[in-house]
């Protein structure tokens, strides 16, 4: 590959006045597709027998019969008191002298301390115990088992530990009445077992989240974690608090399937505290009310002498959560959104929500749903600016906006994708103009509460989608540079999504694929327990773990490229700099950090003039690169594209470094 030359000049004597907010490196969780299935540590599905008997008559969802009895009967019956979903009835006939119960295919990891097994059960009086076990489906090897004595004919909660002697991707969980039971008379009141909740949780889980997900997220140093997305506009928060098995099973009106009742407010706050990040909660303004949103604020922030504060304390949290940041509205401008309306209607609704929420806690910061289209923002600001602290944007970038598709030469598609910061910068420029048009808007800041690359058409993405490539990481890194350049205005960012999900979370669990419009299905590789980061994960980790304070000017002299749009209305992007550069100094003034994204398709030998910051020493260069910009990480090669650190001696105030094509760099110099 040919090599070009470039130069970068830094001026550290002219320090910007605005501190870079660490919240711009935030992340985002949403109950969408397989996000919760991948993020949470439960290996079982349909734990409350909530699904119907589509596959096997009388058996809920993912459950299968486990019996050698010719007469065993299964039926879905009403749930226990205060429970939702169904109860699962298993009827065993004595003449069969059979074992009978339910089973489900799972993947489990070695756990000497044992998975926590919880169940809610009742049985006819002659059934004294059940057995729970995990078995290797290929070899028949029993990986672990436990006996649960049933002490009541009425519904009762039971718990036990189920040790697992080795990791197994092809395991089967079984819970059943064994053949060894004494037999009983064969009439209507005997041989019946009812189940109304079964869950397994590994001993190393953090709350209910996979330990591996927590540890990878911890390394992201996210700053802020957002709970939001389309599903929130039909989400009623009180349905996901209190005892988990008493929470209702609720349809996910935005994305189909069941909303996860396990990851509610308390669990989200626990997740944020484990990671030491600031929570951001988006409230339901679609099917919800201002009163409901205000009660949510009180549940999180109210003292124990308030109604919702007492409710929180009853759930084991006497101290207020202290949630400071609240978002009103998620893509309300979109017709796919529950509660979609005009800008004028949303402005009226927004003010009602803001007033109700501020009445509960005047110290909270409010984010209003904005748009890249100024005809939405202007009436919203006109009516509601005094009631908001931030306007939000969602920025998704794809080559479809240039009229390109999969048949377009991939080099042209690449150039289109890495033009991401130009589009972001134009949206920010337009909003600056609007904000400066009225002194009433002078206090407002921007929150980019969703962003990512978007590779259309992607209605069915099998395997690992393009969102996971090095190309996507280069585009997202350049976009982060634009956030930093505009850090006087942009204070919050939320990468979409954290784990699996829709476009492709930066953390991957297994190799799932999701049909964008028709629910979710797990892709199978035999390595569904593998947890790893994508190239964009590596970018987010590289950026968020730096010692940043303020932006300083930089000047770049390098080659350029252009994007050949097929859409006349799209901007014609000419003479775009191959190197996208932004420089920062820390608050102490003794560390210089330069983010460099080589968007070009040539290696570039680059001379960096430090402008008197340091004359000699050793610089540190973090590098994210691969030979092919379509390179990915996968379950087969989870570390194919990872960042590496290099030491570069320098003298006479200049650092020379070779920047490989389509790669991301962070140059750090200390003095």
């Amino acid at each position: 590959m040919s090599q070009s030359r470039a130069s970068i000049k830094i001026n550290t004597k002219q320090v910007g006045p605005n501190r870079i907010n660490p919240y711009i490196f935030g992340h985002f969780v949403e109950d969408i597709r397989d996000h919760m299935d991948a993020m949470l540590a439960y290996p079982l599905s349909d734990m409350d027998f909530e699904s119907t008997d589509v596959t096997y008559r009388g058996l809920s969802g993912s459950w299968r019969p486990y019996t050698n009895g010719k007469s065993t009967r299964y039926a879905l019956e009403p749930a226990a008191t205060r429970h939702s979903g169904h109860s699962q009835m298993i009827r065993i006939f004595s003449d069969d002298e059979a074992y009978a119960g339910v089973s489900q295919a799972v993947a489990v990891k070695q756990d000497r301390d044992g998975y926590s097994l919880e169940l809610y059960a009742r049985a006819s009086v002659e059934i004294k115990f059940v057995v729970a076990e995990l078995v290797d489906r290929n070899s028949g090897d029993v990986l672990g088992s436990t006996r649960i004595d049933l002490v009541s004919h009425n519904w009762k909660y039971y718990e036990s530990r189920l040790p697992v002697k080795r990791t197994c991707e092809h395991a089967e969980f079984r819970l059943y009445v064994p053949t060894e039971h004494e037999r009983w008379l064969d009439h209507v009141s005997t041989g019946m077992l009812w189940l109304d909740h079964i869950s397994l949780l590994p001993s190393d889980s953090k709350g209910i989240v996979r330990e591996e997900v927590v540890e990878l997220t911890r390394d992201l140093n996210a700053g802020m974690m957002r709970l939001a997305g389309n599903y929130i506009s039909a989400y009623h928060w009180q349905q996901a608090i209190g005892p988990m098995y008493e929470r209702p099973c609720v349809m996910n009106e935005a994305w189909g399937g069941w909303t996860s009742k396990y990851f509610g407010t308390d669990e989200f706050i626990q997740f944020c505290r484990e990671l030491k990040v600031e929570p951001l909660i988006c409230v339901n303004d679609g099917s919800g009310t201002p009163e409901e949103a205000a009660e949510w604020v009180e549940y999180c922030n109210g003292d124990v002498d308030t109604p919702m504060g007492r409710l929180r304390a009853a759930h084991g949290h006497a101290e207020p959560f202290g949630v400071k940041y609240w978002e009103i509205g998620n893509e309300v401008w979109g017709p796919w959104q529950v509660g979609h309306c005009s800008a004028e209607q949303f402005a009226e609704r927004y003010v009602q929500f803001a007033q109700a929420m501020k009445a509960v806690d005047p110290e909270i910061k409010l984010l209003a749903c904005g748009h890249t289209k100024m005809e939405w923002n202007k009436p919203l600001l006109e009516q509601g600016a005094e009631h908001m602290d931030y306007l939000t944007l969602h920025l998704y970038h794809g080559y479809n906006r240039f009229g390109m598709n999969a048949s377009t030469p991939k080099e042209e598609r690449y150039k289109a994708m890495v033009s991401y910061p130009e589009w972001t910068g134009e949206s920010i420029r337009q909003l600056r103009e609007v904000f400066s048009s009225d002194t009433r808007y002078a206090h407002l800041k921007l929150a980019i509460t969703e962003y990512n690359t978007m590779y259309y058409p992607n209605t069915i993405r099998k395997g690992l989608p393009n969102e996971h490539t090095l190309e996507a990481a280069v585009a997202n890194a350049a976009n982060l540079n634009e956030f930093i350049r505009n850090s006087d205005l942009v204070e919050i960012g939320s990468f979409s999504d954290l784990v699996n999900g829709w476009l492709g979370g930066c953390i991957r669990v297994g190799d799932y694929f999701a049909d964008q419009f028709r629910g979710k299905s797990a892709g199978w590789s035999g390595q569904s327990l593998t947890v790893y980061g994508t190239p964009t994960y590596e970018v987010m980790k590289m950026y968020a773990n730096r010692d940043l304070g303020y932006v300083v000017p930089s000047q770049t002299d390098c080659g350029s490229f252009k994007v050949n749009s097929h859409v006349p209305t799209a901007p014609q992007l000419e003479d775009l700099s191959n190197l996208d550069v932004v420089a920062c100094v820390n608050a102490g003034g003794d560390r210089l950090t330069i983010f460099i994204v080589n968007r070009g398709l040539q290696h570039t030998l680059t001379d960096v003039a430090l402008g008197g910051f340091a004359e000699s020493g050793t610089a540190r260069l973090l590098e994210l690169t691969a030979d092919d910009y379509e390179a990915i990480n996968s379950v087969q090669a989870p570390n194919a594209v990872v960042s590496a650190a290099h030491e570069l001696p320098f003298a006479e105030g200049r650092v020379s470094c070779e920047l490989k094509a389509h790669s991301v760099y962070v140059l750090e110099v200390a003095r």
Side-chain angles (χ1 to χ4, degrees):
M1 181 178 286
S2 61
Q3 186 178 70
S4 62
R5 301 187 74 88
S7 65
I8 300 170
K9 296 179 181 179
I10 309 298
N11 179 6
T12 57
K13 294 181 174 59
Q14 187 180 336
V15 178
N18 300 100
R19 186 77 181 260
I20 299 168
N21 195 319
Y23 296 164
I24 65 173
F25 305 117
H27 286 267
F28 165 41
V29 297
E30 177 182 5
D31 193 351
I32 177 173
R33 303 297 179 253
D34 60 343
H35 190 295
M36 292 300 173
D37 291 345
M39 176 178 168
L40 303 185
Y42 298 111
L44 291 172
S45 302
D46 290 305
M47 295 184 288
D48 298 284
F49 304 97
E50 60 268 27
S51 299
T52 53
D53 55 350
V54 174
T55 305
Y56 283 87
R57 183 177 179 182
L59 273 163
S60 173
S62 302
W63 293 100
R64 300 292 180 264
Y66 180 66
T67 182
N68 64 343
K70 65 178 182 180
S71 303
T72 304
R73 298 288 182 267
Y74 295 89
L76 295 176
E77 296 194 351
T81 304
R82 298 189 302 278
H83 286 220
S84 61
H86 308 95
S87 65
Q88 179 70 66
M89 190 273 284
I90 302 110
R91 177 80 191 275
I92 311 162
F93 289 86
S94 183
D95 285 351
D96 280 353
E97 296 187 1
Y99 59 81
V102 293
S103 66
Q104 188 175 139
V106 293
V108 291
K109 57 186 181 180
Q110 184 183 65
D111 194 334
R112 301 293 189 185
D113 294 328
Y115 277 64
S116 171
L117 168 64
E118 298 184 12
L119 65 145
Y120 212 71
R122 65 181 292 258
S124 50
V125 295
E126 71 284 348
I127 295 181
K128 304 298 184 184
F129 69 95
V130 293
V131 171
E133 63 186 20
L134 285 161
V135 178
D136 186 323
R137 285 182 290 145
N138 291 336
S139 68
D141 185 19
V142 176
L143 306 171
S145 66
T146 185
R147 167 177 164 149
I148 300 104
D149 292 317
L150 303 179
V151 298
S152 175
H153 179 242
N154 208 343
W155 286 111
K156 186 174 175 59
Y157 167 81
Y158 298 92
E159 59 182 336
S160 185
R161 282 281 171 187
L162 186 54
V164 182
K165 66 182 182 182
R166 61 176 170 83
T167 296
C168 183
E169 289 276 359
H170 301 269
E172 182 173 88
F173 170 78
R174 301 167 180 170
L175 191 137
Y176 62 97
V177 178
T179 306
E180 293 75 25
H181 251 92
E182 292 184 13
R183 293 295 116 178
W184 47 84
L185 293 176
D186 205 6
H187 60 76
V188 73
S189 65
T190 60
M192 287 181 281
L193 171 68
W194 289 267
L195 304 168
D196 190 339
H197 178 82
I198 307 176
S199 62
L200 288 172
L201 199 63
S203 61
D204 64 359
S205 63
K206 303 294 186 182
I208 61 170
V209 181
R210 293 178 191 261
E211 180 193 38
E212 300 88 346
V213 167
V214 170
E215 294 310 317
L216 260 70
T217 307
R218 198 189 312 280
D219 290 344
L220 285 171
N221 194 25
M224 177 173 277
M225 189 66 63
R226 175 179 183 250
L227 178 69
N230 285 355
Y231 92 103
I232 214 79
S233 65
Y235 176 81
H236 299 284
W237 66 273
Q238 289 205 41
Q239 294 173 341
I241 58 173
M244 286 183 178
Y245 50 81
E246 294 184 7
R247 299 176 184 178
C249 297
V250 180
M251 281 293 291
N252 187 327
E253 295 180 39
W255 300 115
W258 298 103
T259 294
S260 175
K261 69 182 191 179
Y262 298 97
F263 194 77
T265 303
D266 296 352
E267 291 75 29
F268 173 64
I269 297 299
Q270 182 181 359
F271 182 57
C272 291
R273 286 182 171 172
E274 176 71 35
L275 297 169
K276 295 181 173 60
V277 299
E278 188 78 21
L280 164 61
I281 294 177
C282 186
V283 301
N284 174 3
D285 84 309
S287 62
T289 65
E291 294 75 20
E292 181 183 25
E295 287 181 337
W296 202 354
V297 174
E298 185 176 279
Y299 182 84
C300 290
N301 297 352
D303 293 329
V304 292
D305 57 357
T306 63
M308 293 299 104
R310 278 195 297 274
L311 182 60
R312 182 194 66 244
H315 297 152
H317 307 284
E319 291 298 316
F321 294 148
V323 178
K324 184 177 180 180
Y325 293 87
W326 296 82
E327 187 175 358
I328 300 173
N330 181 88
E331 299 181 2
V332 186
W333 34 263
W336 54 85
Q337 187 73 32
V338 175
H340 165 62
C341 63
S342 69
E344 291 77 11
Q345 289 170 324
F346 174 66
E348 181 179 352
R349 197 160 75 198
Y350 173 84
V351 171
Q352 293 172 357
F353 272 76
Q355 289 174 332
M357 295 165 70
K358 284 271 193 176
V360 172
D361 185 350
E363 301 303 314
I364 61 175
K365 298 290 186 181
L366 293 180
L367 291 70
C369 172
H371 199 349
T372 53
K373 295 181 178 179
M374 298 307 117
E375 55 265 34
W376 172 274
N377 297 326
K378 288 177 181 178
L380 173 59
L381 293 173
E382 177 63 32
Q383 293 188 56
E386 290 84 355
H387 301 277
M388 65 183 71
D389 300 286
Y390 295 84
L391 192 72
T392 71
L393 290 181
H394 289 181
L395 302 175
Y396 290 106
H397 182 68
Y399 52 71
N400 61 301
R401 69 195 332 171
F402 298 93
M404 298 178 181
N405 56 39
S407 65
T408 306
K410 73 174 190 176
E411 185 172 308
E412 292 301 311
R413 284 182 276 137
Y414 170 84
K415 292 174 183 177
M417 292 307 299
V418 299
S419 73
Y420 197 171
E422 273 67 40
W423 293 78
T424 297
E426 177 58 19
S427 293
I428 294 173
R429 185 199 65 77
Q430 291 180 31
L431 276 169
R432 281 189 186 278
E433 189 175 286
V434 172
F435 286 176
S436 64
S437 68
D438 194 318
T439 56
R440 295 166 52 232
Y441 310 156
H443 67 287
L444 291 173
K445 299 293 184 181
L446 270 180
I448 317 294
T449 52
E450 291 184 30
Y451 69 93
N452 200 346
T453 52
M454 180 178 282
Y455 288 78
Y456 277 126
N458 62 353
T459 52
I460 299 177
R461 300 183 304 277
K462 295 182 177 180
L464 291 167
N466 290 336
E467 280 85 4
H468 303 155
T469 60
L470 176 60
E471 172 185 285
V474 169
N476 281 313
N479 187 57
L480 282 175
N481 282 0
E482 195 66 24
F483 288 4
I484 296 170
R485 275 191 286 270
N486 291 279
S487 56
D488 63 315
L489 194 61
V490 179
E491 290 192 346
I492 292 172
S494 302
F495 179 80
S496 173
D497 295 324
L498 179 65
V499 186
N500 288 24
W502 178 42
L503 287 175
C506 67
I507 296 172
R508 300 296 298 171
V509 177
D511 56 348
Y512 291 81
F513 67 87
D515 179 332
Q516 184 180 353
F517 300 110
R518 300 294 181 194
K520 56 191 177 183
S521 180
W524 180 245
S525 67
Q527 297 182 75
S528 65
L529 295 172
T530 302
V531 184
Y532 60 95
T534 66
T536 294
Y537 170 87
E538 295 292 320
V539 163
M540 299 298 293
K541 189 169 65 171
M542 288 166 68
Y543 274 65
N545 285 286
R546 310 276 67 81
D547 183 10
L548 305 181
Y550 306 90
V551 174
V552 295
S554 60
Q555 179 182 338
T556 303
D557 182 14
C558 64
S560 64
F561 67 98
K562 69 175 182 176
V563 180
N564 298 310
S565 174
H566 302 295
V567 178
T569 56
Q572 303 301 304
L573 300 174
E574 307 275 346
D575 198 27
L576 302 184
S577 174
N578 283 342
L579 300 186
D580 187 303
V581 179
V582 64
C584 318
V585 292
N586 65 349
D590 59 358
R591 182 173 296 273
L592 171 65
T593 301
I594 308 168
F595 298 102
I596 310 170
V597 182
N598 185 1
R599 300 187 291 180
L601 295 172
Q602 290 183 312
H603 295 344
T604 303
L605 185 61
T606 304
D607 179 73
V608 183
L610 303 177
F613 181 81
E615 287 303 312
S616 62
T618 302
R620 186 169 184 256
L621 184 70
L622 299 177
E623 177 185 56
L624 184 70
T625 190
D627 292 338
D628 184 354
Y629 53 76
E630 292 186 331
I632 60 172
N633 293 333
S634 67
V635 290
Q636 288 82 14
N639 298 310
V641 186
V642 296
S643 61
H646 310 283
E647 291 190 345
L648 300 179
F650 69 93
E652 299 180 351
R654 311 181 84 86
V655 181
S656 180
C657 46
E658 183 182 34
L659 308 178
K660 295 178 182 176
H662 47 74
S663 300
V664 181
Y665 294 88
V666 182
L667 180 65
E668 292 182 306
V669 180
R671 65 179 179 189

